[in-house]
Amino acid sequence: MCITLSLSSKPCIGVCNGSLQSPKSMVTTARTEVITAPKRPNTFPGLTKQGISDIDLRVQEVVRRQSWTNSLVGEVNCRKPRFEPMFIDDAYDKCRNICAEYAKTFYLGTLLMTKERQKAIWAIYVWCRRTDELVDGLNAEYMSPAVLERWEERLQDIFEGRPYDMLDAALSDTVCNFPLDTKPFRDMIEGMRMDTRKSRYESFQELYLYCYYVAGTVGLMSVPVMGIAPESSASAYTIYNAALYLGIGNQLTNILRDVGEDALRGRVYLPQDELAQFGLTDKDVFSRKVWSSLMLYRKILDAIEDNDYDNLTKRAYVGRTKKLLTLPLAYTRALSKPSLYLR
């Protein structure tokens, strides 16, 4: 599953009033998380006995740790190795080039940031990409639990100032310049473990937790770099929650976009119980009998773009005529030979 990083063109985050509601349906959530204003959720997957969700606990822990680290002015978090200035500049340049090559739109957004934020985001992007490629890259066939264990050990080395290579060095330098905690990075590795252990998700709750691991964590990584506006009336917890749900919303959108590509890898991320609710099975996904749903929801995302991403005052929707005109094309696609990408 491809991981997508998202960012705002503004250098600080501090405009969100709450966290997004966790709805029952995956398809509804993909739309809700990019259309509606944030609302405080009543329930989450994985509730503890105290009624606090696993995801909420992760956010609280990260906020607490990163605030604690920041208050100590880097004394605990930073064991900064002594890099030659030319070496570390080259390391960041390599990260920049990778970002520019593989995430062109994302890279353009980083150009609006300050120089120090740019470098940090490039370093984080490259680490996330390398982590994802362990499972989905060219050498994925050699993947084993031991590989991820070693990668996690290597992450600890990065945070303790012992980088393995130049790209690791960029992240080592970044964690000394910004109050980043290891937990979101470790949780992303756990998401990769999920990809190696399972290729189906029985319910939206299971899928939601997976989306937290592989994408919500990116939001938690990004807040310390993007910063919180001093004048913001929102709490740090609220802002971290908003960043987390943005990542989850992006991942749900990717899942809708990549159903065909994931099916070719033998993976079905669409919740099994929701497929069954509509009389569908994995076989229907592999034979591409869900084209109409995929194409219509993609048009909703197009409508959001047409609205200049104004989710607060405009509602993105697909009109009845457009829906009807889409059906013949969806039917034609369903009859055609398999293709790796939705077009």
Side-chain angles (χ1 to χ4, degrees):
M1 171 58 67
C2 179
I3 296 173
T4 301
L5 281 80
S6 178
L7 50 88
S8 166
S9 60
K10 297 182 179 180
C12 290
I13 302 172
V15 295
C16 301
N17 295 319
S19 57
L20 296 178
Q21 185 177 11
S22 174
K24 296 180 180 179
S25 165
M26 172 201 149
V27 174
T28 303
T29 300
R31 181 173 64 182
T32 301
E33 294 200 350
V34 292
I35 292 178
T36 62
K39 296 180 181 179
R40 186 66 178 171
N42 294 321
T43 59
F44 279 101
L47 292 179
T48 65
K49 292 181 180 179
Q50 293 76 25
I52 302 174
S53 75
D54 291 341
I55 293 180
D56 268 351
L57 288 174
R58 290 185 177 95
V59 175
Q60 291 172 356
E61 183 175 343
V62 171
V63 172
R64 183 176 66 253
R65 285 187 179 183
Q66 293 185 159
S67 298
W68 178 61
T69 299
N70 193 38
S71 68
L72 295 180
V73 199
E75 291 179 7
V76 175
N77 193 52
C78 182
R79 298 180 183 178
K80 191 170 185 175
R82 296 181 179 179
F83 296 124
E84 289 293 331
M86 185 174 296
F87 171 83
I88 197 63
D89 286 345
D90 287 346
Y92 280 119
D93 281 343
K94 282 185 175 293
C95 292
R96 172 180 182 158
N97 293 337
I98 293 171
C99 187
E101 180 177 356
Y102 294 103
K104 293 179 174 59
T105 302
F106 175 77
Y107 171 73
L108 289 176
T110 66
L111 298 182
L112 301 175
M113 301 177 186
T114 63
K115 184 177 180 180
E116 289 305 310
R117 287 190 174 106
Q118 283 179 352
K119 294 191 297 184
I121 290 294
W122 294 334
I124 291 172
Y125 168 82
V126 167
W127 185 87
C128 291
R129 178 178 178 81
R130 295 174 89 186
T131 302
D132 185 56
E133 286 184 338
L134 293 175
V135 174
D136 284 340
L138 296 176
N139 295 318
E141 59 183 300
Y142 303 109
M143 169 54 56
S144 69
V147 172
L148 289 175
E149 289 295 332
R150 174 65 190 115
W151 190 249
E152 191 163 5
E153 293 172 1
R154 183 164 160 174
L155 172 68
Q156 188 62 37
D157 288 340
I158 289 172
F159 271 77
E160 293 180 357
R162 299 189 299 272
Y164 180 80
D165 60 18
M166 183 175 281
L167 298 178
D168 285 356
L171 187 57
S172 279
D173 190 69
T174 292
V175 301
C176 289
N177 295 330
F178 295 91
L180 290 162
D181 185 69
T182 61
K183 186 165 181 59
F185 295 84
R186 293 185 184 278
D187 282 349
M188 178 174 282
I189 295 174
E190 184 60 29
M192 300 304 108
R193 290 192 178 99
M194 290 180 72
D195 259 337
T196 63
R197 292 195 299 257
K198 62 192 302 180
S199 57
R200 306 288 188 279
Y201 292 84
E202 292 301 320
S203 66
F204 176 76
Q205 284 72 24
E206 283 191 9
L207 179 65
Y208 195 83
L209 187 59
Y210 168 77
C211 289
Y212 159 73
Y213 279 124
V214 301
T217 50
V218 178
L220 302 184
M221 297 173 194
S222 302
V223 173
V225 175
M226 302 300 289
I228 299 175
E231 66 274 14
S232 173
S233 60
S235 67
Y237 176 76
T238 296
I239 291 171
Y240 272 87
N241 248 353
L244 184 152
Y245 290 117
L246 176 60
I248 291 175
N250 286 339
Q251 192 65 21
L252 290 172
T253 301
N254 288 347
I255 287 170
L256 288 173
R257 180 196 66 190
D258 296 337
V259 170
E261 180 179 351
D262 291 329
L264 291 179
R265 291 182 172 133
R267 298 177 187 164
V268 178
Y269 289 96
L270 301 177
Q272 296 291 302
D273 61 352
E274 294 188 18
L275 287 174
Q277 186 178 356
F278 292 94
L280 298 171
T281 65
D282 288 354
K283 183 178 179 181
D284 297 310
V285 175
F286 293 135
S287 62
R288 296 166 301 110
K289 291 184 178 179
V290 291
W291 273 103
S292 58
S293 174
L294 296 173
M295 294 177 70
L296 287 173
Y297 276 95
R298 183 173 66 179
K299 286 185 177 297
I300 292 176
L301 299 177
D302 291 339
I304 293 172
E305 185 176 0
D306 292 340
N307 286 343
D308 197 26
Y309 303 97
D310 183 356
N311 310 334
L312 302 177
T313 64
K314 298 178 181 178
R315 181 176 178 82
Y317 66 95
V318 180
R320 183 180 179 85
T321 301
K322 283 188 177 182
K323 288 180 181 179
L324 293 175
L325 291 174
T326 298
L327 295 180
L329 179 58
Y331 180 74
T332 302
R333 291 284 178 87
L335 296 178
S336 64
K337 293 182 179 180
S339 175
L340 184 60
Y341 298 101
L342 303 181
R343 300 187 187 281

